[in-house]
Amino acid sequence: MKLSRRQFTRLASGGLAFASLQGTLSTAGLAQEKPIKIANILDQTGGLNIYSLKQMKAVAMATDEINKAGGLLGRPLELIFYDAQSSNQLYSQYATQALLRDEVDVIHGGVTSSSREVIRPIVGRFKGLYVYNSLYEGGVCDRRHVSTGMVPGQQLDALCPYVVKELGGKKGYILAADYNYGHITSKWLQKYIRDLGGEDLAVEFIPLDVSNFSSVIARIQDAKPDVVWSALVGAAHMSFYRQFHATIGTDEMMLASTTYSIGREHVELAPEEGKGIILATSFYDGLDTPAANDFVRRFKEYTGENDYIGEYGEGGYRGMALWAEAVRRAGSAEPDAVMDALGGTSVEGAGGLYTIDGQTNHTVMNIHVAVQDDKQEFEAIRTFDQMPPIDTQLVCNLNENPNDTTQYEVQLD
Amino acid sequence: MDSLMVYVYQIAFSFSILILISLGLALIFGMMKVINLAQGEFLMLGAYFCVLGSNLGLPLWLAMFAAGLGVGLVGVIVERTVIRFLYGRVLDTLLATWGISLFLMGIVTTIAGPQSQSVPSNMGPVNFGGLNVPGYSLVMIVAALLMLAGTYAIWRFTNLGLLVRGTMQNPEMARALGTNTSMIYMFTFGFGSAITGLAGALLVPLFGASPTMGSFYISKAFITVISGGPWPLIGTVSASGLYGVIDGVVSYELSPVLAEICVLFVAVVMLRLLPQGITGRMRKGI
C-alpha cells in the first residue's frame, strides 16, 4: 500500500489519539446514534503534565458517567484525547485537527494562558466552542470561550478581606512570578489591600528560574510586613517556601498565596514546610461537604489513584458538567446553539454551585479559604458563596458586544 | 554594623553557591577540557540520590555523602562508556553530553515524576546581624569551603594530585614516564562528578530537587569557570568571589533580576579585557 505524506500523518496521529485513549475511557459507544464528539487537549507528557494528568482523567470520568446515564440528548459521547506534550505548537495543530478532521462539537483543555491563546483564535476561525478549565489572570471576552476556573477578582475578593481584616494582615509584601499572571495578580492584590485599608510595602517580580530567595527574604525581614503574599509559580519558586520556613516561618509571619495547592505544591514540600500557608481555591480534596467527598470517592474509584486531586483535576469534571448542561438546555450539541444557552447554565458540583455568567462566559462559584495543617492537608476556614468574576465583568460585556474576542488587561487606578 | 553583617552573609552565601555548582565543572571542564553539558544533570542526580537516601531512612548527612559517591560512580560509567572515546573532539563531546543530559532528565522524570521534592534540614533559623538566616545555609558555606580546601589539598599535596596535574599538562610525557593516563582521566572525571553530586545533595534542604534544576545552574557554572581562566581552582575561587560580591550586594540592595544582569555584564566586560580569564596572566597556579 502506498501512503502519501498526508495519509501517513493522518494515520499516525489517529493512532496516537486512539492509543492515548486506552485505559482512560472504558465505556463503549451507545449504539447507533451519531455520537457527540468532545476533544480534550492537555499535556499528558512534558514539563507541564503535572497540571494535566488529573484533569484528563476527570474529563474521561465525566464522559463515562454521562454515557452510562444514557448519553446526551439520546446520543453517546465520544471523547478524543490529544496529548499536546507541553508544546504550544501541538496545541495549535491538534485544535485545528479536532475541528476540521475530527469535527468535534467542543474542545476542552489547555492549561497555560499561552496555550489558551493558541486555541482560542482557531476555535473562532472554525466556529467551534472552547471550554477552558483552568484558573488564569482573567479578562478574556469571547463568546466561543468559556472559563470555568477562578480569576483573580473572585479569589482575592475572598482571600484579602479574610487576611487583611480578620487576621489583621494590614502590611503586605507581594512576591509574584515575573510574567503575565504574576503582574496582573499583583495589581489586583495591591488594589484589594489598599481598598481594605491595608498597605502594600513592596511588590517583587521573580523570574521563573530564580531559586535563591536569600536576598528577598532579607528584604522581607527589613520591611517587617504582617503578611507575605505569594503569586509564585513553578519548580524553582518552590524553594521560596522552603527558605521561608527555614528563616521566618508561618508562626512569625503570615503567608498567603493565590497559587499554592493548585499545582499540588503542598505535596512537594515537606509537611512542616507548608504548614500554616493560607490559600483560596474553588476546590480542594479535604473540603468536607457531601458533594466534595462523593466526588473524591468516585474519582479515586475510577482512576485507582489515591493522591491529591485538587482544583485542576476537579476543573475538568466541572467543565464537562457545565457544557453538558448547556447542551441539554440548548437541545443540540451544535457549537452555536450551545453558545446561546451558556448564560445562566448552572450545575451543583464538587466545590458548590457553578453558574455561567452570560455577560463574560466566566463562572460564578464558591471560593474556599483554607489553611494547611501539619499533615499536608487543608483545614477549612470559610467558604465565600457565589463569587462573581468581578474583574472580567468590569471590562467585558458579551451581551452588548457579542463579536468581541479580546483579552482585556484590567487597568487599575 | 548590622547591615554590614547582612552583606557579609549575602556575599558568603552567593559565593558558596557558586563554588558548589562550579567546583566539579572546574575539574572536568577547566582541567580536562571536556565540555560536559550534563554537568547540571549530575547536580540534579546528586539531589535525587540524596532524597532517595533520606527516604530510605539514612540520616541526611549520610544521604548526602552517599549521593556524592553515587554520582561519582555514574561519572566513572559515563567516562568509560562515552567520554573516553571523545577526548579532543570538542563538538562530538558537546553532542554526546547533551544527549546524556536529556537522557538523565528524562529518566528521573519518568521514575520520580516532574514535581519537585524536598528533605528539610530541621535546623532552625539563626540570627545573623539582626536578620534570621537559615541555620543550614551556614552549613552550606562551611561545606563549600571544606570542599574547596579538600580539592586543593589533594591536587597540591598528594602524589595522586601530582599525577593528575602532570597528565593534564602533558599526557604523552606522563605516559612515557609510566603513568596510566587512562585511569587518571577516569579518576578525574569521577572525582569531578562526585563533587558535583555532593553539591547537588547539599542544595536539597533549601532548594529542593526537581528534574529541571540543572538548567537553573549550568550557565552560571560555565560562566564562573570560563571567567576563572586557565588555572581552574584559583580561577574558580576568584571568579566566584567576584560574582558572589556582585550578586550578594546587588540582589540585596535592588533585586535578584538586576543582580543577574550585573553579573553577566561584568562577565562580558571582563572577558573582553582579560580574554584568558582572571588567571590568564598567571604563570604558576593550580
Side-chain angles (χ1 to χ4, degrees), chain A residues 48-352:
Chain A
L48 293 171
N49 75 350
I50 179 168
Y51 298 111
S52 292
L53 294 172
K54 297 286 175 197
Q55 194 172 102
M56 281 164 47
K57 289 167 187 155
V59 169
M61 171 172 136
T63 311
D64 259 7
E65 287 187 357
I66 292 171
N67 277 342
K68 273 186 195 138
L72 266 185
L73 312 173
R75 291 166 66 189
L77 300 186
E78 183 188 333
L79 176 64
I80 306 171
F81 178 75
Y82 307 82
D83 178 10
Q85 301 170 34
S86 307
S87 145
N88 280 345
Q89 194 205 329
L90 287 174
Y91 270 108
S92 143
Q93 181 187 327
Y94 286 143
T96 313
Q97 203 176 72
L99 289 166
L100 292 187
R101 188 195 74 184
D102 300 332
E103 296 179 323
V104 301
D105 298 290
V106 63
I107 293 181
H108 284 261
V111 173
T112 61
S113 285
S114 55
S115 69
R116 181 198 63 239
E117 290 309 298
V118 165
I119 297 176
R120 212 158 58 78
I122 296 171
V123 170
R125 194 178 323 137
F126 301 122
K127 308 242 176 301
L129 180 65
Y130 173 38
V131 186
Y132 176 53
N133 301 316
S134 162
L135 81 161
Y136 82 109
E137 66 280 357
V140 170
C141 196
D142 186 339
R143 286 192 75 212
R144 295 193 179 275
H145 157 272
V146 187
S147 160
T148 64
M150 291 188 288
V151 290
Q154 288 174 305
Q155 190 185 21
L156 297 179
D157 207 19
L159 187 60
C160 292
Y162 173 71
V163 171
V164 177
K165 286 283 178 201
E166 290 186 38
L167 300 181
K170 291 245 178 280
K171 288 186 286 177
Y173 199 105
I174 302 170
L175 302 178
D178 194 7
Y179 72 105
N180 205 353
Y181 169 78
H183 280 259
I184 295 176
T185 304
S186 71
K187 279 187 198 156
W188 277 100
L189 269 168
Q190 286 179 295
K191 178 180 158 54
Y192 272 106
I193 294 169
R194 287 176 198 164
D195 288 354
L196 289 161
E199 192 186 346
D200 52 303
L201 300 176
V203 182
E204 285 201 40
F205 296 113
I206 317 285
L208 289 172
D209 61 348
V210 165
S211 60
N212 180 0
F213 285 86
S214 89
S215 61
V216 173
I217 287 174
R219 274 196 298 278
I220 291 176
Q221 295 184 59
D222 285 341
K224 299 191 174 53
D226 303 316
V227 53
V228 175
W229 297 92
S230 148
L232 297 172
V233 174
H237 287 181
M238 292 300 297
S239 314
F240 171 74
Y241 300 109
R242 300 185 177 106
Q243 292 167 27
F244 185 86
H245 169 73
T247 45
I248 307 174
T250 48
D251 292 338
E252 293 296 313
M253 197 181 285
M254 286 185 274
L255 180 53
S257 173
T258 61
T259 46
Y260 190 75
S261 88
I262 288 161
R264 299 153 37 95
E265 283 83 356
H266 61 293
V267 191
E268 303 185 25
L269 296 175
E272 59 269 35
E273 288 171 334
K275 183 174 172 273
I277 299 178
I278 306 163
L279 57 119
T281 170
S282 61
F283 177 79
Y284 63 97
D285 291 23
L287 180 66
D288 199 12
T289 62
N293 292 338
D294 184 49
F295 172 77
V296 171
R297 185 186 55 75
R298 279 184 294 142
F299 187 89
K300 290 185 172 167
E301 228 165 63
Y302 182 79
T303 58
E305 295 166 347
N306 220 7
D307 51 339
Y308 188 76
I309 306 164
E311 164 134 1
Y312 272 112
E314 194 269 341
Y317 191 86
R318 181 194 308 179
M320 279 294 291
L322 280 167
W323 168 80
E325 182 59 24
V327 171
R328 286 189 201 103
R329 278 162 50 109
S332 157
E334 283 299 309
D336 284 48
V338 177
M339 214 162 72
D340 290 331
L342 283 171
T345 295
S346 207
V347 295
E348 197 57 62

